[in-house]
């Protein structure tokens, strides 16, 4: 606030001095010029009455000549004062309006309002740096769960887009460079309610600066960053960034599952992607030789993952340095039929169009599909503005870096147990186990969006569960009952139970729970909302355990006592 007042006083110094001088001279003139009272005797106006008269005259209110009618000399002086004060006021007001319209002063006012709004926050919030495709998806999903965010974005049009998104909760936002430490400070990096910083800008160096500043200023604060560079990935990991999401590696790991573990791939897809793929897609043949068009960073990530899984590959790249490409390879872009035929597209089972240009990628899959209609097609989308075209491209997979990063980050934020479950599933179980799990998940949610959530049995997250008496045993199936009708089950299923170092996937409904246990569920969002009633409301929990309506209100206790008598 001090900087705003300082600029106001500095810019209005001349108008204020002019206004004070005009008023002072006007008052002095009225005091010195002699007048007459109602008896015709000489009379001089004192300073109080002179200031009173100039005040209402300067504001154009005009109460008349007080306390006695003026002489001609006084009226002449009053005439001069009227013009002088009006000019002084016009000068002052004009200068003030010009200052308010200056972009720099407007930015300063918006920043001050933003700082005050963030300072008043009393709920946990995430500081989101960048409101592009990834940032907007993260903010919208968190808002849907009534989790607060604060946004810093460098481009004004994206800040305006946030205004138009119509989120259910207010999101403080500011157009500013988030890589500057003082902006992070103003956005609440050191605020007691800030629980994490998400560096999601399109610039790797800016994300690196944000992560470094956050870890230096508040080392215990969780920091999640996106990156598209191997060097930046290593740099972010070197100083303890909590999660670094590389969209190319993440997608390569995701896509390679489809070549040898299709049901595991679908389980992975259902848990991480809100709009999951249907079960019918698993029957398409994907074991065999694949073609990768483009050997940039995405192509190299795919090549490494496919090679590790033992998948036969052919590369198409326009680079002339043959030593840089692992064999077999074909020189070209892949948009021409002759290039694709040279790469053996008619015998291949899948093709990845992963160049830097959306038009080339779409051309590649259209040409390849004309040559081999049974191909599994994967296309990379570089620009979010091309959504409509890619949605209608009939590609089997559309690789969009922004959505991949958002899904990974949301999985980490919403349900920290989910990455643990996926890692255990990939390491310990085969595709048959995943097939059984997928059937159970499909039975619970059908084709609707699958959500996931977790609870830890503690005072902060599940206070009602810890209020049970010692003789009462809490089993997992109790949490899965509908708090409105205990005979009905909620549309959800348990995925994982963790007690200390002991982890069990797909625990049974009779599993007994203890304080400190962590449970991971998946199902429909409506099940989450009803389950929150159970873990937070002791009366609802008692109804689920005993079948009796339970209430601790004074009226219910009196009625209960009367019933006994």
């Amino acid at each position: 606030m001090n900087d705003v007042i300082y600029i106001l006083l500095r810019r209005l110094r001349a108008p204020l001095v002019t206004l004070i001088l005009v008023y002072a001279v006007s008052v002095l003139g009225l005091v010195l010029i002699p007048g007459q009272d109602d008896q015709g005797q000489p009379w001089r106006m004192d300073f109080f009455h002179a200031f009173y008269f100039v005040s209402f005259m300067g504001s154009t209110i005009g109460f008349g000549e007080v306390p006695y009618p003026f002489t001609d000399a006084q009226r002449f002086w009053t005439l001069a004062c009227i013009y002088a004060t009006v000019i002084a006021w016009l000068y002052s007001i004009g200068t003030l309006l010009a200052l308010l319209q200056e972009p720099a002063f407007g930015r300063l006012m918006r920043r001050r309002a933003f700082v005050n709004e963030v300072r008043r926050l009393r709920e946990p919030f995430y500081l989101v740096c960048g409101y592009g495709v990834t940032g907007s998806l993260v903010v919208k999903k968190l808002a849907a769960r009534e989790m607060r965010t604060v946004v810093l974005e460098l481009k004004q049009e994206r800040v305006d887009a946030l205004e138009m998104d119509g989120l259910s909760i207010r999101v403080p936002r500011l157009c500013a460079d988030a890589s500057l430490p003082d902006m992070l400070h103003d956005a609440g990096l050191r605020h007691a309610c800030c629980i994490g910083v998400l560096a999601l800008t399109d610039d790797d160096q800016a994300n690196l600066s944000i992560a470094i500043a956050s870890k230096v200023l508040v080392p215990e604060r969780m920091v999640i960053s996106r990156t598209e560079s191997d060097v930046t990935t290593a740099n972010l990991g070197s100083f303890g960034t909590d999660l670094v999401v590389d969209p190319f590696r993440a997608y390569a790991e995701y896509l390679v599952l489809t070549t040898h573990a299709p049901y595991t791939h679908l389980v992975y897809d259902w848990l991480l992607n809100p709009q999951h793929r249907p079960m019918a897609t698993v029957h398409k043949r994907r074991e065999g030789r694949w073609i990768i068009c483009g050997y940039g960073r995405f192509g190299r990530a795919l090549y490494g993952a496919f090679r590790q899984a033992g998948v036969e590959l052919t590369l198409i790249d326009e680079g002339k340095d043959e030593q840089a490409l692992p064999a077999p390879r074909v020189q070209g872009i892949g948009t021409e039929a002759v290039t694709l035929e040279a790469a053996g597209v008619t015998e291949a089972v899948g093709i990845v169009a992963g160049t830097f240009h959306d038009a080339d990628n779409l051309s590649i899959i259209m040409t390849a599909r004309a040559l081999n209609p049974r191909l599994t097609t994967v296309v990379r989308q570089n620009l979010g503005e091309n959504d409509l075209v890619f949605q209608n491209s009939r590609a089997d997979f559309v690789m969009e870096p922004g959505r991949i990063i958002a899904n990974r980050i949301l999985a980490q934020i919403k349900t920290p147990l989910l990455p643990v479950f996926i890692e255990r599933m990939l390491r310990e179980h085969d595709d048959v186990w995943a097939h059984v799990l997928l059937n159970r998940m499909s039975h619970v949610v059908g084709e609707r969006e699958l959500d996931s959530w977790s609870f830890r049995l503690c005072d902060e997250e599940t206070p009602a569960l810890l209020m049970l008496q010692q003789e009462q045993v809490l089993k997992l199936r109790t949490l899965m009952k509908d708090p409105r009708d205990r005979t009905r089950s909620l549309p959800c299923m348990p995925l994982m139970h963790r007690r200390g170092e002991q982890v069990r996937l797909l625990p049974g409904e009779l599993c007994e729970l203890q304080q400190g246990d962590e449970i991971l569920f998946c199902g429909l969002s409506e099940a989450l909302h009803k389950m929150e009633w159970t873990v937070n409301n002791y009366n609802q929990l008692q109804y689920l355990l005993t079948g009796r309506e339970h209430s601790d209100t004074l009226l219910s206790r009196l009625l209960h006592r009367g019933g006994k008598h």
Side-chain angles (χ1 to χ4, degrees):
M1 195 63 189
N2 292 336
D3 45 1
V4 176
I5 295 176
Y6 170 75
I7 290 180
L8 269 175
L9 292 177
R10 192 180 68 175
R11 293 295 301 275
L12 295 179
R13 180 174 53 190
L16 287 175
V17 169
T18 304
L19 200 60
I20 291 171
L21 281 176
V22 169
Y23 268 62
V25 172
S26 300
V27 169
L28 184 62
L30 288 173
V31 170
L32 295 178
I33 297 174
Q36 289 182 345
D37 61 13
D38 54 348
Q39 305 298 322
Q41 300 299 318
W43 176 83
R44 287 184 183 277
M45 190 178 289
D46 58 24
F47 279 98
F48 173 74
H49 282 91
F51 181 71
Y52 173 66
F53 176 79
V54 172
S55 296
F56 68 68
M57 176 195 68
S59 59
T60 69
I61 295 175
F63 287 153
E65 299 171 351
V66 293
Y68 306 113
F70 285 179
T71 62
D72 290 343
Q74 286 177 311
R75 287 174 179 164
F76 180 78
W77 180 249
T78 300
L79 194 62
C81 292
I82 289 173
Y83 288 106
T85 52
V86 168
I87 293 172
W89 273 115
L90 288 176
Y91 174 44
S92 302
I93 293 172
T95 306
L96 179 62
L97 291 177
L99 177 61
L100 293 177
Q101 290 177 348
E102 282 188 7
F105 189 74
R107 287 194 294 271
L108 188 61
M109 293 291 288
R110 286 193 292 274
R111 179 172 177 174
R112 181 52 50 191
F114 171 75
V115 170
N116 291 334
E117 187 175 4
V118 172
R119 192 175 295 164
R120 289 194 298 269
L121 288 176
R122 293 294 179 267
E123 302 169 47
F125 68 88
Y126 286 96
L127 171 53
V128 180
C129 304
Y131 196 73
V133 174
T134 307
S136 61
L137 286 172
V138 170
V139 170
K140 289 173 185 173
K141 286 292 182 183
L142 292 180
R145 285 204 170 192
E146 298 185 349
M147 297 177 69
R148 286 200 171 274
T149 52
V150 172
V151 172
L152 288 177
E153 167 56 51
L154 188 59
K155 297 180 179 178
Q156 184 61 49
E157 59 268 25
R158 291 181 176 175
V159 178
D160 297 338
L162 175 55
E163 296 265 4
M164 304 297 293
D165 282 340
L167 301 177
S168 56
I169 57 177
R170 165 80 182 169
V171 177
R173 60 272 195 179
L174 183 68
C175 181
D177 186 355
S179 64
L180 301 176
D182 61 333
M183 291 310 309
L184 292 174
H185 174 76
D186 286 353
L189 175 62
R190 291 179 166 178
H191 196 295
C193 294
C194 181
I195 53 179
V197 179
L198 312 182
L200 306 179
T201 73
D202 299 331
D203 184 351
D204 274 7
Q205 284 304 312
N207 292 333
L208 184 61
S209 300
I210 293 166
I212 290 174
S214 301
K215 283 297 181 185
V216 169
L217 295 174
V218 193
E220 68 277 11
R221 188 77 74 231
M222 180 180 71
V223 177
I224 296 176
S225 176
R226 65 171 289 177
T227 175
E228 296 184 4
S229 155
D230 290 331
V231 176
T232 310
T233 301
N235 203 344
L236 286 165
S238 67
F239 55 84
T241 303
D242 298 87
L243 176 65
V244 180
V245 183
D246 180 342
F248 302 127
R249 286 188 178 179
Y251 198 78
E253 294 168 1
Y254 161 80
L255 189 61
V256 77
L257 283 174
T258 194
T259 63
H260 64 277
Y263 289 105
T264 304
H265 171 263
L266 270 190
V267 171
Y268 184 95
D269 188 70
W270 282 38
L271 291 174
L272 287 183
N273 300 329
Q275 297 176 344
H276 53 254
R277 308 175 61 75
M279 288 187 68
T281 60
V282 81
H283 300 297
K284 197 165 184 177
R285 177 173 171 255
R286 298 191 178 108
E287 291 184 5
R289 190 167 57 80
W290 282 68
I291 299 172
I292 299 177
C293 301
Y295 196 64
R297 188 142 187 273
F298 180 43
R300 288 196 296 275
L302 281 175
Y303 180 82
F306 276 53
R307 274 297 187 195
Q308 193 173 6
V311 178
E312 186 183 357
L313 289 171
T314 298
L315 296 176
I316 297 179
D317 191 84
E318 58 182 343
K320 296 181 180 178
D321 185 4
E322 295 188 357
Q323 297 300 322
L325 291 178
R329 57 191 179 273
V330 174
Q331 188 173 350
I333 300 176
T335 52
E336 313 89 355
V338 63
T339 308
L340 294 175
E341 287 171 344
V345 69
T346 53
E347 297 83 25
V349 296
I351 185 168
V352 180
T355 74
F356 298 107
H357 306 290
D358 284 352
D360 285 346
N361 292 337
L362 289 170
S363 174
I364 289 170
I365 62 166
M366 291 171 69
T367 307
R369 205 158 42 213
L371 297 171
N372 182 357
R374 299 186 305 278
L375 270 178
T376 297
T377 52
V378 183
V379 62
R380 173 182 172 182
Q381 179 183 344
N382 297 286
L383 299 175
E385 293 80 0
N386 292 330
D387 257 347
L388 184 62
V389 179
F390 278 86
Q391 286 173 6
N392 292 280
S393 66
R394 294 189 294 115
D396 294 292
F397 297 89
V398 177
M399 185 273 181
E400 191 180 359
R403 293 188 184 277
I404 295 167
I405 298 167
N407 291 336
R408 283 295 182 97
I409 291 174
L410 286 169
Q412 180 72 27
I413 291 176
K414 293 191 304 181
T415 48
L417 287 182
L418 189 56
V420 179
F421 172 81
I422 291 174
E423 188 267 336
R424 289 262 181 168
M425 176 187 70
L426 296 176
R427 194 181 65 204
E428 299 175 359
H429 295 282
D430 58 14
D431 213 35
V432 176
W433 185 89
H435 190 184
V436 175
L437 172 58
L438 193 64
N439 283 331
R440 291 182 60 186
M441 292 164 64
S442 178
H443 178 71
V444 172
V445 302
E447 296 299 324
R448 298 171 66 183
E449 180 177 330
L450 183 77
D451 201 354
S452 57
W453 62 92
S454 62
F455 291 110
R456 185 171 189 273
L457 270 66
C458 60
D459 290 329
E460 293 78 15
E461 297 185 28
T462 58
L465 303 187
L466 302 184
M467 295 169 66
L468 292 178
Q469 299 176 2
Q470 288 187 346
E471 64 272 16
Q472 289 183 301
V473 177
L474 178 64
K475 296 182 179 179
L476 191 54
R477 68 179 178 186
T478 304
L479 301 183
M480 299 168 61
K481 292 180 180 178
D482 190 334
R484 293 179 177 174
D485 181 358
R486 66 193 293 264
T487 62
R488 298 173 55 186
S489 297
L490 295 175
C492 65
M493 60 175 286
L495 289 176
M496 191 174 80
H497 171 255
R498 184 164 72 178
R499 180 177 294 163
E501 298 297 324
Q502 186 181 1
V503 175
R504 184 162 49 151
L505 303 190
L506 304 184
E509 295 182 356
L510 298 180
C511 174
E512 296 184 3
L513 302 179
Q514 300 177 7
Q515 184 173 358
D517 285 2
E518 295 173 275
I519 314 115
L520 172 65
F521 291 95
C522 72
L524 298 179
S525 299
E526 61 191 61
L528 165 63
H529 300 314
K530 292 180 179 177
M531 199 176 287
E532 285 177 337
W533 294 0
T534 303
V535 301
N536 289 293
N537 190 310
Y538 180 72
N539 297 332
Q540 292 285 0
L541 179 61
Q542 285 298 323
Y543 164 70
L544 293 177
L545 287 170
T546 64
R548 296 191 300 272
E549 297 286 350
H550 189 275
S551 175
D552 272 342
T553 63
L554 176 61
L555 178 61
S556 68
R557 288 199 295 270
L558 290 174
L559 292 174
H560 183 64
R561 191 179 303 170
K564 285 184 176 179
H565 293 301

